[in-house]
C-alpha cells in the first residue's frame, strides 16, 4: 500500500514539475507580442501573445524568473494575472507547476498551430514605479511568456508596444512601423528583446553622442519636466568623450547603435542603473541636470553601465550565461563582471573630466575604507559574496558590514587595482590592466555574439601579459578571512588609507546622497533624516552601547538632536574625554546611553606614501 502511494506521489510529481531542458535548436515561426502600456492610472500592462506551436502534446510556457542585469531570480510570479490560453475559439486549461510558479503546462491538441495568450502584469504599487502619468520603463521580461525547450536566442519575437498618448519612446530595438502611440519593432530574438527595454515619456530630449553616423549613439533623456532635461553642454561633451574612449580601452566595438536611456525623475526609480548590450538604463534624480555635485557623485554609475556593454553583456562568465531566463545563473566570477567594471569606472571618470583626479582618489578612499571595515570577512569570503546575487537582491541586508552583501563590487575594485599595480611592478611599468582590457575584451569581440570565459581564461590572459602564478594570486584573496592583502593595490600605487576629522568633497557628496551623516568609522552610526538610524556598525561603539537600526535620536546631552550637534559632540569628547550621552526612541521606548568613544570624527582619504612611486596617478591620468 505504501509503495503504491509513493508511486502515485511520484507520478504526480513528474506531471507537476513539467519542464523542458533548453536546446540549441531552431524555433519555427515567431512569437507575436503585443503590450498595451496605456493604463498609467492603474499601472497595468495588458499583454496579448501568439506563440507558434512546434508540435502537439505537452507544452510548457515560462514566465522569466531570472534577470540578466541583477544576475538574480528577481522577477516575481505574483504580478502575472488573468492568464487565458486559447487555440482559436477553444480555451485550453493550463496547470501551474506546483513547485515552480513560473512554469505553465498546456496540453496542445493535434492540429493547433498557435496558442493565443492573454494576461496582465500588475506591478507593485509601492516602491519604484515602472509607469506613471509622465513616464514608462518597460522591461520586456516582465510582459512575456516563452516556450520551454529552446535557447531563447533562437526564438524570434515580433513585439508591439502601445504607450500613453503624448509619450515619445526610445529603445535599442529597431522600429518596423510606428504610428501615433504604437510601435511595432523588427523581429528580434527573445534574448535580444529582454536586453532592450523601452523608455517612454512626456518630457523627452535626444542628444547625439557621436559624430560617426555609421554607429549612432544616442542619449535619450526622460524627465519629470522639460526643465529636468537641460543637461549642461560640458557634461554632454564629457559623455561624448566617454563614448569615444571606452571602445579604445577595450579595442572593440560590438554594437550596431547604442541608446542611453536616462531617467531624471523623483517619481520613478532613482539612483541606479542596469546594463544591456546596445543600451543602458541610468536613473538619476530630477535635480541631476542642475546639480554638479550629483553629476560628480553619479559619474561612476554612467561609466559603469556603459562599460558593462563590453564587460558583462558581450563577454560573460561561463557560469553566469544561461540559455534561457529560468535556468539558474551562477555568479562565481562577479568579482570580474562587477568588480572590474567598477574599477574601470574609477579609472575612466577622471580621464573624462567627470571627476577631478582628487575626487577619484577620494572615491577610491571610500571603497577602501568600506572594505577595511568589514568584520563580516571573518566568516564570509569575497568568493562567497558572489553567491549573494542568488538570494540577496530585493532583500534587506540590515547589517551590511557583517552580512557583506555584494562586496564583489568594492572589494573587486581593490583587487583589480592591485592586479594593475602588480602588472606594472612585474613589467617595469610597461604593462598594466589596459593590456588586459585590450587582450580580454578586444580580439574577435567586434560582433554582438556573446562569448564566455572561465577563471582559467582570466589567469591565462594575465599570464600572457606578465607570467605569474595568477591562480595562486587570486585564490587566497578570494577566500581570505583577513584583510592582509586588501590594500596592497593602494600601497603598490604609492598611497595609504588614512582618516582625518575633515570629510573630502566626495564624502560630503556621499552624505548628501544618503540625506544624512555617515559616522560608520567613528561612532559607528549612519544617521538619515531627522535622526533616524539607518545603519549601525557591527560591534562598533554605538552597537555596544545598545543603539540599533530603526531607532531615532532625540537628544544629545540636554540639547535636541541635530546632525551638526552630534558631530560637535564627537569632536568635544575626543578633547575632554567625557562619554557622549545620546537619548533615542526605539520600539516606543525612550532611552539614554553613554558612549565611551573618544576617537573624534574619522573620514577616509588617501595620502601619498612618502618616497613611493606614484603609480596611482599614472593609472588615473594617463590618457587612453
Ligand atoms: Zn554593474
Amino acid at each position: 500500500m505504501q509503495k503504491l502511494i509513493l508511486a502515485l506521489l511520484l507520478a504526480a510529481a513528474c506531471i507537476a514539475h513539467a519542464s523542458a531542458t533548453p536546446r540549441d535548436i531552431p524555433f519555427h515561426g515567431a512569437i507575436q507580442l503585443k503590450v498595451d502600456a496605456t493604463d498609467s492610472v492603474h499601472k497595468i500592462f495588458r499583454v496579448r501573445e501568439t506563440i507558434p506551436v512546434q508540435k502537439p502534446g505537452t507544452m510548457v510556457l515560462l514566465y522569466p524568473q531570472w534577470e540578466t542585469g541583477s544576475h538574480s531570480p528577481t522577477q516575481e510570479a505574483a504580478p502575472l494575472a488573468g492568464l487565458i490560453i486559447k487555440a482559436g475559439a477553444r480555451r485550453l486549461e493550463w496547470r501551474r507547476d506546483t513547485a515552480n510558479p513560473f512554469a505553465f503546462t498546456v496540453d496542445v491538441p493535434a492540429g493547433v498551430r498557435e496558442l493565443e495568450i492573454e494576461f496582465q502584469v500588475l506591478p507593485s504599487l509601492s516602491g519604484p514605479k515602472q509607469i506613471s502619468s509622465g513616464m514608462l520603463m518597460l522591461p520586456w521580461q516582465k510582459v512575456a511568456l516563452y516556450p520551454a525547450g529552446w535557447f531563447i536566442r533562437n526564438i524570434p519575437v515580433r513585439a508591439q508596444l502601445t504607450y500613453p498618448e503624448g509619450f515619445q519612446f526610445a529603445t535599442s530595438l529597431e522600429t518596423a512601423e510606428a504610428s501615433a502611440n504604437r510601435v511595432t519593432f523588427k523581429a528580434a530574438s527573445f534574448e535580444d528583446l529582454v536586453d532592450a527595454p523601452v523608455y517612454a515619456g512626456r518630457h523627452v530630449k535626444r542628444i547625439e553622442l557621436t559624430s560617426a553616423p555609421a554607429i549612432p549613439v544616442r542619449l535619450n533623456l526622460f524627465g519629470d519636466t522639460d526643465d529636468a532635461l537641460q543637461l549642461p553642454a560640458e557634461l554632454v561633451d564629457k559623455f561624448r568623450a566617454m563614448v569615444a574612449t571606452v571602445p579604445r580601452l577595450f579595442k572593440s566595438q560590438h554594437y550596431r547603435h547604442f541608446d542611453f536611456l536616462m531617467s531624471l525623475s523623483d517619481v520613478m526609480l532613482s539612483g541606479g542603473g542596469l546594463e544591456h548590450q546596445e543600451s543602458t538604463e541610468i536613473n538619476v534624480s530630477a535635480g541631476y541636470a542642475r546639480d554638479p555635485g550629483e553629476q560628480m557623485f553619479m559619474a561612476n554609475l554612467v561609466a559603469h553601465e556603459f562599460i558593462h556593454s563590453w564587460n558583462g553583456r558581450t563577454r560573460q562568465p561561463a557560469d553566469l550565461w544561461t540559455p534561457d531566463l529560468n535556468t539558474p545563473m551562477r555568479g562565481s566570477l562577479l568579482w570580474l563582471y562587477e568588480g572590474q567594471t567598477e574599477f574601470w569606472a574609477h579609472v575612466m571618470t577622471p580621464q573624462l573630466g567627470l571627476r577631478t583626479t582628487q575626487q577619484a582618489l577620494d572615491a577610491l578612499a571610500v571603497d577602501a575604507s568600506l572594505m577595511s571595515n568589514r568584520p563580516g570577512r571573518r566568516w564570509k569570503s569575497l568568493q562567497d559574496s558572489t553567491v549573494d546575487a542568488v538570494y540577496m537582491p530585493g532583500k534587506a541586508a540590515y547589517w551590511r558590514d557583517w552580512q557583506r552583501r555584494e562586496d564583489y563590487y568594492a572589494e573587486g575594485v581593490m583587487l583589480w587595482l592591485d592586479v594593475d599595480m602588480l602588472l606594472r611592478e612585474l613589467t617595469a611599468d610597461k604593462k598594466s590592466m589596459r593590456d588586459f582590457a585590450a587582450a580580454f575584451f578586444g580580439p574577435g569581440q567586434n560582433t554582438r555574439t556573446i562569448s564566455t570565459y572561465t577563471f582559467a581564461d582570466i589567469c591565462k590572459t594575465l599570464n600572457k601579459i606578465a607570467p605569474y602564478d595568477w591562480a595562486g594570486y587570486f585564490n587566497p584573496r578570494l577566500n581570505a578571512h583577513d584583510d592582509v592583502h586588501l590594500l596592497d593595490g593602494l600601497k603598490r600605487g604609492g598611497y595609504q588609507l588614512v582618516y582625518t576629522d575633515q570629510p573630502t568633497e566626495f564624502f560630503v557628496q556621499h552624505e548628501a546622497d544618503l540625506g544624512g551623516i555617515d559616522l560608520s568609522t567613528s561612532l559607528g552610526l549612519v544617521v538619515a533624516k531627522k535622526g533616524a538610524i539607518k545603519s549601525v556598525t557591527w560591534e562598533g561603539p554605538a552597537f555596544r552601547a545598545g543603539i540599533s537600526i530603526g531607532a531615532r535620536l532625540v537628544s544629545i546631552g540636554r540639547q535636541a538632536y541635530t546632525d551638526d550637534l552630534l558631530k560637535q559632540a564627537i569632536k568635544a569628547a575626543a578633547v575632554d574625554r567625557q562619554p557622549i550621552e545620546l537619548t533615542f526612541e526605539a520600539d516606543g521606548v525612550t532611552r539614554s546611553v553613554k558612549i565611551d568613544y573618544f576617537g573624534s570624527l574619522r573620514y577616509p582619504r588617501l595620502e601619498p606614501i612618502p618616497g613611493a612611486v606614484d603609480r596611482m596617478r599614472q593609472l588615473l591620468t594617463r590618457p587612453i
Side-chain angles (χ1 to χ4, degrees), residues 47-64:
V47 183
R48 287 183 178 276
E49 198 172 355
T50 306
I51 299 183
V53 171
Q54 306 293 296
K55 63 174 193 241
T58 301
M59 189 167 170
V60 178
L61 299 175
L62 296 173
Y63 186 49

Side-chain angles (χ1 to χ4, degrees), residues 250 271 486 585 611:
F250 292 123
L486 181 72
E585 284 175 10

Side-chain angles (χ1 to χ4, degrees), residues 86-120:
K86 287 182 177 172
R90 186 165 21 149
R91 183 166 165 177
L92 304 180
E93 288 300 329
W94 50 262
R95 300 181 302 283
R96 195 193 293 258
D97 188 311
T98 51
N100 173 10
F102 296 85
F104 302 90
T105 298
V106 186
D107 295 321
V108 181
V112 172
R113 299 180 61 172
E114 58 186 29
L115 299 182
E116 286 158 35
I117 299 165
E118 65 172 85
F119 61 94
Q120 301 89 44

Side-chain angles (χ1 to χ4, degrees), residues 97 101 132 143 168 178 249 259 352 437 469 504 550 619:
D97 188 311
S132 71
V143 291
Q168 296 175 54
L249 171 68
D259 284 274
L352 302 167
D469 176 13
T504 63
L619 167 69

Side-chain angles (χ1 to χ4, degrees), residues 303-608:
H304 180 109
E305 300 305 340
F306 187 49
I307 289 164
H308 262 324
S309 179
W310 286 260
N311 180 9
R313 297 307 305 144
T314 304
R315 292 228 72 190
Q316 296 187 17
D319 63 354
L320 193 73
W321 180 87
T322 55
D324 69 11
L325 296 176
N326 292 72
T327 302
M329 300 171 185
R330 296 180 200 285
S332 71
L333 298 174
L334 283 171
W335 50 274
L336 191 153
Y337 181 122
E338 294 294 359
Q340 197 182 116
T341 296
E342 188 58 11
F343 164 79
W344 284 122
H346 275 288
V347 173
M348 295 299 297
T349 46
Q351 301 259 333
L352 302 167
L354 287 163
R355 284 179 182 165
T356 63
T357 306
Q358 188 57 51
Q359 288 164 345
L361 286 167
D362 295 343
L364 281 167
V366 168
D367 279 0
S369 172
L370 205 61
M371 291 302 106
S372 296
N373 293 283
R374 278 299 198 242
R377 194 177 285 105
R378 296 206 297 269
W379 71 275
K380 181 170 174 176
S381 66
L382 171 60
Q383 188 62 65
D384 184 67
S385 88
T386 66
V387 190
D388 293 357
V390 176
Y391 68 97
M392 286 268 196
K395 312 276 193 302
Y398 295 102
W399 304 95
R400 185 98 189 237
D401 57 346
W402 186 241
Q403 291 173 280
R404 297 199 78 193
R405 175 177 169 172
E406 295 170 358
D407 274 3
Y408 47 82
Y409 284 88
E411 193 162 335
V413 170
M414 292 298 116
L415 181 62
W416 289 108
L417 180 63
D418 189 43
V419 173
D420 182 278
M421 295 302 159
L422 181 55
L423 287 171
R424 288 167 201 259
E425 263 185 28
L426 293 170
T427 62
D429 287 311
K430 288 191 178 63
K431 305 280 182 182
S432 70
M433 275 297 292
R434 291 187 190 191
D435 298 277
F436 180 84
F440 201 68
F441 298 102
Q445 307 294 329
N446 278 323
T447 73
R448 297 174 58 230
T449 307
I450 292 166
S451 73
T452 60
Y453 60 84
T454 62
F455 178 71
D457 294 328
I458 301 167
C459 295
K460 209 163 93 185
T461 306
L462 283 166
N463 211 46
K464 279 188 194 158
I465 299 163
Y468 196 69
D469 176 13
W470 289 104
Y473 169 85
F474 282 119
N475 281 322
R477 285 161 177 79
L478 293 169
N479 297 302
H481 289 293
D482 57 48
D483 58 4
V484 170
H485 292 295
L486 181 72
L487 302 184
D488 282 0
L490 288 183
K491 272 180 244 152
R492 290 190 221 265
Y495 282 78
Q496 58 190 339
L497 174 67
V498 299
Y499 292 88
T500 70
D501 61 5
Q502 288 302 314
T504 63
E505 184 191 347
F506 184 85
F507 199 91
V508 169
Q509 197 55 45
H510 153 66
E511 290 190 324
D513 183 64
L514 71 86
I517 51 172
D518 182 349
L519 305 170
S520 53
T521 51
S522 54
L523 198 60
L525 285 177
V526 175
V527 188
K529 289 188 180 78
K530 295 181 183 167
I533 306 286
K534 188 177 173 171
S535 82
V536 174
T537 303
W538 186 259
E539 294 176 347
F543 182 107
R544 290 194 303 270
I547 297 179
S548 195
I549 298 159
R552 192 176 66 80
L553 296 174
V554 179
S555 58
I556 304 165
R558 292 168 187 273
Q559 293 180 273
Y561 176 82
T562 68
D563 291 348
D564 278 344
L565 198 62
L566 181 55
K567 288 198 271 190
Q568 283 170 27
I570 293 170
K571 275 185 167 177
V575 177
D576 60 24
R577 305 201 58 89
Q578 293 298 313
I580 300 162
E581 191 177 338
L582 289 179
T583 303
F584 61 92
E585 284 175 10
D587 301 331
V589 177
T590 302
R591 279 185 60 203
S592 292
V593 292
K594 287 184 177 177
I595 308 180
D596 292 327
Y597 172 73
F598 309 120
S600 195
L601 293 168
R602 293 174 80 243
Y603 297 106
R605 64 173 67 225
L606 299 186
E607 223 172 59

